[in-house]
Amino acid sequence: MVDDSRSEDAPVPPEPSSSTLGHHLVSVLRLAAISLVIVGFSGWLIDDGGEVVLESPFTIVFGAGVVCAFASIYLGIFLADGGE
């Protein structure tokens, strides 16, 4: 005999909507963008004594921060227009 202690009137937790998940993704992308741009730019300048060198690995970090910023902007606009 299976003991089902959950009553039929017990509330079922709501599933997260895609809009809520989208807003969380925008927030994460913004935080990643700010962090990556700061680390990339400061590392870019500090690594080679103030001279900007495009061969530095910090260039990739800075570029990833810029990509995250653009992605968060476009995703935020898409969500604000009601896209789901």
Side-chain angles (χ1 to χ4, degrees), residues 4 13-15 78:
D4 190 13
E15 294 183 18
F78 177 73

Side-chain angles (χ1 to χ4, degrees), residues 41-54:
F41 188 73
S42 62
W44 209 11
L45 294 179
I46 294 172
D47 190 37
D48 291 313
E51 183 179 335
V52 176
V53 178
L54 293 179

Side-chain angles (χ1 to χ4, degrees), residues 11-76:
V12 176
E15 294 183 18
S17 68
S18 62
S19 176
T20 303
L21 292 175
H23 289 294
H24 287 300
L25 182 60
V26 169
S27 296
V28 168
L29 284 172
R30 283 183 192 160
L31 179 63
I34 290 170
S35 302
L36 291 172
V37 166
I38 289 173
V39 169
F41 188 73
S42 62
W44 209 11
L45 294 179
I46 294 172
D47 190 37
D48 291 313
E51 183 179 335
V52 176
V53 178
L54 293 179
E55 291 82 22
S56 172
F58 291 106
T59 305
I60 296 171
V61 174
F62 183 80
V66 172
V67 168
C68 285
F70 280 124
S72 70
I73 289 169
Y74 285 115
L75 183 59

